[in-house]
Amino acid sequence: MAAGQRRGRPARALGLAPSIRALAPGGGAAPRPPDDRPVLRLAVSKGALAIELGEPFALGPLRVTELVVRLAGIRFPVDLSGGVARFRHRRGQLVRLSVEAQGTELAGWAAPRLRGLLGDGAPQLIIAPIEDGALVALRSGETALAFDVAVAPGERALRLLPERARGIGLAAPPHALALQALSMMAGTHGRLVEGAIVLDAAVERIVRLLLPAAGARAPAVEGVQWAVVTAEAGRFRAEGALGAAPPALGDRALRALEASELAGAADELAFAGGLDEARRAYLAALERAPRHPEISSRLAWLDLVIGERAEGALSTVVDAMPAVDAGLLGGALLEAVGDHDGAFSALARAAHAEPYGPLAALAWLRAAALADAVDVRLDALNLGVARAPGIEALRWARFHARLDVADVRGALADAEHLEASARGAEARHAVSRRAAEAFLARGDVADARVLFERALRYAPESPDVVAGLARSLRAAGEGRRALDLLARARALAARSGAPACALDLELGRGLAEIAGDLPAAIARVRSVPPGVPEALEARLLEGRWCAGLGDLGGASVALGRLRDAVELALQGRADDAGTARARGAPFGDGAAAVAALLAEAAEIEERTRGDLLAAQRQLGLALRLRPRDPGITAAFRRVSGEIAPPVAPAPAAPPGPVQRPRAEQRIEVHVAAPRRRTVPPEPVVIAPAPSKPPPVPRAPASPPKAAPIDPGTIDEMPTLDGSDTSTDLTAPIPSSVTLAEGQVPLARAFGVDDELLAERLADRLRADPADQGVAMALADVLERLGRDLDLLALLSARMEEGDDAVRLEVAPRRRDVLARLAARARAEGRDSEAELYEMLLQSELA
């Protein structure tokens, strides 16, 4: 007999050892699948028969863990062999009920019900237990909402009261959105009563769903009250009992009930969308409870959402609390009134104190946008990413900030994280392409090339990515390969039907700069049709390359088309002035780029073709787009000065009687009335410089007598005889040489002609540019000579370089010369030039 074998028992055959799972309680049997019906059992306690819930049963997001129904009128002894089925027709009395809910299960059940609240789809929802209630937070993209819910149980009803509602990117007051979210989650089981969502007859609803499902009769629930409502460790639990005393409410629930009583009517109006009526109701509540922090916040949020009421909303908040302590509301209000430093402080405090991570991260994102220093902005973005690493906008903001501080490794890490977080080939392609373009824009061609190639992995037929790879290769010095890729990108765009004007420009530049094939490059840019954004640059490139080939006629035609297109756009803006369509017309933020194109076109017209009039017209259009650009203004002055014809000296008149000058000819230039006037609202009247009086006849015996001259002034003037041809004028010159009507010119009395005097005064002014007296004397001489363009250049330079007193003295004379130039150009048929002068004159009068 084998050792250890008991007598009378056969030996066990050798075989596999039993598994540990088989030795566990219940053996190795598979678990029983969950039943869709609750399990009930009979229980006898203290001489009474009751029906109890055999095991927890789920009702939607809730889980009923305990249910006891006492059966009255049962006499003992009683036959219990039939089980629950024998007593299911009897109506009992509910004695005890216990319900639980996990926060994650509750959020998963409620999220689809909130579809459309913050965006198109269902938001990300978190429901977490807090003291005396729950934290409800939801996010959709860059919009987030969070609020606390205080639970105040009644006899058989539960009151859910939202408070401390806050958010970012909301289109409605956050408290109204909080009420709407609770209403959508409760559905038909809840109703809005004085700012609270009330779950009526919650006990009846639970037992009427549970017991009939088990085949038993629903019990009576009179006298059953909620005794315990707790929230702990991610779980909510509520217990009701027969004859239980009502539970003691916490501080949060008491505050919420008081605020609901004060502002419940206003909350209902805001919930219904009547913001103006809700505002009046909130003001009435503040009269009853002055400086109430919760009601003040709701009123300020309402004003902020309505818009253009930031100052009043900030005053409402400051009466109740410091603005920097008002959280996201204080940050938004301080930003709206222009206090960016205060807004940054308020947002930083709110982000540190916010329990909901995505909302705190979006607060850091908003604060980073307000920071001027790159390091401060980067620190804020780092804190935001730490709170919510999955927010795409936050990652992109830190990606660009890291590129700004040349942190290439960190930027690549953010790009890789964004690519890994994207779902689908199309989304990953978009991430790689965007990151590659950012690297290329900052000159990091090596990393840009790698990212473009990675983007091609997901979309090998994308013409934009192929063109981006070509640009990166060209920047790296691989021009021939870049040209091949540009041609392939153009073919892909033509195959897919995508717009190819930008690719035609790129390919044209490549043909001109890499292959040196100017005719092919011209053909490429000529294929760009008018009316597209690339048309203006295409016309400039066509003119530049035609001029390089010696085709001056083709260059003139191309640059003329450029000028005509700009003039047409400017005319359209003038026709649409004051309309909504004119706000972004005609070039928007690209006005500076278009002005640069026109300036280069003027340079080509002047240098290659020698057409100063065409150059002046191009520069005039550029000035209309950028009237304060110093380079364009200087070029326009120079070209206009070269165009001005020289004034021939008047022939000597034969001796005769002194003729009085003709009466002034009055020229009127009508200018559109400006918004603000600094001169009387009447037409600008310009009197041209009087014609030079004929020289005084000389008597044969004695010299003519000049007008009386101050001896001191005579001593300061140079004495020149007829044979003196020297141009050195070292003695001081009077500040003005304007003479009375009919008086002999003072300069000629000393043998100095106006032309010679203008040259000497110009030399003196170049030697001492700050001498205002010499400048004004030169202005008088230029006005007598009729050299209005030179006079305009002189007066404009004095206004730009002088102080307020100088500008006050020069401004009227500059307006006069602008009006004369406008009238002359209009009379000679040069309407565009006249419009330019009138525009400058209008800016002077405004």
Side-chain angles (χ1 to χ4, degrees):
M1 180 180 295
Q5 181 178 350
R6 295 183 181 181
R7 185 181 300 271
R9 298 183 62 181
R12 181 173 60 88
L14 296 177
L16 296 176
S19 65
I20 297 177
R21 180 176 299 177
L23 296 178
R32 184 174 60 87
D35 196 355
D36 58 351
R37 301 180 61 184
V39 177
L40 301 179
R41 65 188 178 187
L42 292 175
V44 179
S45 175
K46 297 180 181 179
L49 184 64
I51 297 178
E52 297 180 351
L53 185 65
E55 58 185 29
F57 183 75
L59 288 176
L62 304 179
R63 189 176 182 86
V64 182
T65 58
E66 185 179 6
L67 182 141
V68 177
V69 177
R70 183 186 301 164
L71 299 177
I74 302 296
R75 295 182 179 181
F76 288 89
V78 61
D79 184 10
L80 302 178
S81 60
V84 176
R86 184 174 181 179
F87 301 95
R88 64 183 180 181
H89 63 283
R90 303 182 67 93
R91 180 176 175 83
Q93 171 67 46
L94 180 66
V95 177
R96 192 163 52 254
L97 175 68
S98 179
V99 181
E100 292 181 356
Q102 295 290 334
T104 54
E105 296 178 359
L106 193 60
W109 170 83
R113 294 170 171 256
L114 298 177
R115 184 181 303 273
L117 182 64
L118 297 184
D120 295 334
Q124 298 178 3
L125 178 64
I126 290 178
I127 300 178
I130 58 176
E131 182 182 1
D132 296 334
L135 168 67
V136 179
L138 51 157
R139 180 183 73 90
S140 177
E142 298 180 35
T143 303
L145 170 70
F147 56 93
D148 299 342
V149 178
V151 181
E155 291 184 358
R156 289 190 300 275
L158 290 176
R159 289 169 292 180
L160 307 179
L161 300 106
E163 62 172 1
R164 293 185 63 245
R166 65 270 184 197
I168 285 181
L170 304 177
H175 189 78
L177 287 176
L179 286 173
Q180 187 174 355
L182 290 178
S183 177
M184 294 171 70
M185 286 189 286
T188 58
H189 302 295
R191 59 190 179 93
L192 179 62
V193 179
E194 291 187 351
I197 300 298
V198 179
L199 302 177
D200 288 321
V203 175
E204 291 94 329
R205 292 177 184 273
I206 292 174
V207 297
R208 287 176 182 175
L209 288 174
L210 189 145
L211 286 175
R217 188 176 180 183
V221 295
E222 289 79 4
V224 178
Q225 294 186 359
W226 294 108
V228 178
V229 177
T230 59
E232 55 184 7
R235 182 182 62 175
F236 302 93
R237 184 168 61 89
E239 294 181 2
L242 180 64
L249 299 179
D251 294 341
R252 183 187 300 274
L254 290 175
R255 289 196 306 268
L257 285 173
E258 290 296 325
S260 175
E261 182 179 352
L262 289 170
D267 293 338
E268 292 182 4
L269 290 171
F271 175 81
L275 299 185
D276 292 333
E277 295 81 0
R279 189 179 191 281
R280 288 192 288 268
Y282 280 130
L283 287 174
L286 281 179
E287 291 181 2
R288 297 175 56 192
R291 300 187 178 185
H292 192 291
E294 180 66 21
I295 300 176
S296 298
S297 297
R298 295 178 191 179
L299 175 58
W301 272 115
L302 187 145
D303 283 339
L304 179 63
V305 169
I306 292 177
E308 299 182 358
R309 299 180 181 179
E311 290 77 10
L314 185 60
S315 174
T316 303
V317 170
V318 170
D319 284 344
M321 69 193 82
V324 293
D325 293 337
L328 298 176
L329 173 62
L333 291 176
L334 290 172
E335 181 185 358
V337 300
D339 185 2
H340 288 180
D341 292 338
F344 183 90
S345 300
L347 290 171
R349 290 189 181 188
H352 280 299
E354 177 58 48
Y356 181 45
L359 184 56
L362 291 175
W364 282 120
L365 179 61
R366 181 71 63 86
L370 299 175
D372 295 329
V374 179
D375 55 343
V376 177
R377 182 166 70 251
L378 188 56
D379 289 341
L381 294 173
N382 286 334
L383 291 172
V385 172
R387 291 299 303 272
I391 296 181
E392 184 179 356
L394 195 62
R395 282 280 181 179
W396 279 119
R398 192 173 74 166
F399 168 80
H400 291 291
R402 282 177 165 176
L403 285 182
D404 291 338
V405 297
D407 184 7
V408 177
R409 180 177 298 178
L412 283 174
D414 280 332
E416 292 174 357
H417 184 279
L418 287 165
E419 182 184 352
S421 302
R423 292 293 177 265
E426 185 177 354
R428 294 195 172 192
H429 162 75
V431 169
S432 299
R433 174 186 168 184
R434 180 176 175 181
E437 290 174 349
F439 274 104
L440 182 60
R442 286 167 172 80
D444 190 351
V445 296
D447 292 313
R449 176 178 179 176
V450 173
L451 289 170
F452 274 125
E453 291 172 348
R454 186 179 299 174
L456 285 176
R457 177 194 311 168
Y458 302 110
E461 301 296 323
S462 172
D464 294 332
V465 176
V466 174
L469 180 58
R471 289 194 296 270
S472 61
L473 289 174
R474 181 179 176 184
E478 301 181 27
R480 297 293 178 181
R481 176 59 179 159
L483 196 59
D484 294 340
L485 287 176
L486 282 175
R488 180 171 180 266
R490 179 64 180 83
L492 290 174
R495 186 188 309 166
S496 61
C501 296
L503 290 174
D504 284 331
L505 284 181
E506 289 283 344
L507 189 54
R509 288 196 195 94
L511 290 170
E513 299 171 7
I514 299 174
D517 191 352
L518 291 182
I522 292 171
R524 278 292 177 186
V525 296
R526 277 183 178 172
S527 64
V528 177
V532 297
E534 296 83 4
L536 298 180
E537 188 176 358
R539 301 292 86 79
L540 174 67
L541 293 175
E542 181 183 351
R544 180 198 299 170
W545 295 333
C546 285
L549 286 175
D551 183 8
L552 301 184
S556 176
V557 171
L559 298 179
R561 289 176 179 172
L562 168 63
R563 183 177 63 248
D564 293 342
V566 176
E567 285 181 343
L568 185 61
L570 290 174
Q571 183 62 35
R573 180 176 63 176
D575 294 340
D576 297 334
T579 64
R581 185 175 56 173
R583 291 193 182 101
F587 306 113
D589 296 336
V594 176
L597 295 178
L598 292 169
E600 184 179 351
E603 183 180 358
I604 296 173
E605 297 275 16
E606 179 185 4
R607 185 186 67 250
T608 306
R609 300 184 58 247
D611 191 345
L612 296 180
L613 289 175
Q616 184 191 40
R617 192 173 177 185
Q618 300 275 14
L619 291 171
L621 286 176
L623 273 180
R624 292 178 66 180
L625 293 172
R626 303 282 290 177
R628 299 186 181 276
D629 191 296
I632 298 175
T633 303
F636 181 80
R637 290 175 185 166
R638 177 181 53 78
V639 173
S640 299
E642 294 179 4
I643 292 176
V647 180
V658 177
Q659 298 180 359
R660 304 290 295 178
R662 293 181 300 174
E664 296 180 336
Q665 180 184 2
R666 301 174 67 84
I667 303 174
E668 293 187 0
V669 179
H670 296 276
V671 183
R675 294 182 180 176
R676 293 176 298 141
R677 290 185 177 274
T678 57
V679 297
E682 59 186 12
V684 180
V685 180
I686 300 151
S691 59
K692 296 181 183 179
V696 179
R698 298 176 181 270
S702 60
K705 293 183 179 180
I709 300 174
D710 185 13
T713 305
I714 295 176
D715 294 339
E716 294 177 357
M717 292 293 295
T719 303
L720 303 173
D721 55 16
S723 62
D724 188 4
T725 59
S726 173
T727 60
D728 184 16
L729 184 60
T730 58
I733 298 173
S735 60
S736 177
V737 293
T738 304
L739 305 176
E741 184 178 0
Q743 185 178 356
V744 179
L746 184 62
R748 289 186 180 179
F750 289 90
V752 181
D753 187 72
D754 280 341
E755 291 289 346
L756 181 59
L757 181 60
E759 295 179 5
R760 293 181 178 178
L761 288 172
D763 293 338
R764 289 286 301 277
L765 187 60
R766 282 191 290 269
D768 185 8
D771 194 334
Q772 178 68 7
V774 174
M776 291 298 98
L778 178 57
D780 292 337
V781 176
L782 293 175
E783 186 173 358
R784 287 200 306 274
L785 291 174
R787 293 164 56 180
D788 286 337
L789 287 173
D790 293 337
L791 178 59
L792 176 62
L794 172 65
L795 297 178
S796 300
R798 300 307 300 173
M799 289 193 68
E800 292 177 2
E801 300 170 1
D803 53 11
D804 292 339
V806 172
R807 284 190 286 272
L808 187 62
E809 179 183 1
V810 171
R813 304 189 65 170
R814 186 172 185 269
R815 289 196 291 268
D816 291 344
V817 70
L818 282 172
R820 284 199 301 273
L821 288 170
R824 186 179 306 159
R826 185 74 69 182
E828 296 176 0
R830 293 178 277 114
D831 292 337
S832 61
E833 183 178 349
E835 290 177 1
L836 173 63
Y837 293 132
E838 290 171 357
M839 182 189 66
L840 294 176
L841 179 58
Q842 183 178 356
S843 65
E844 288 286 330
L845 295 176

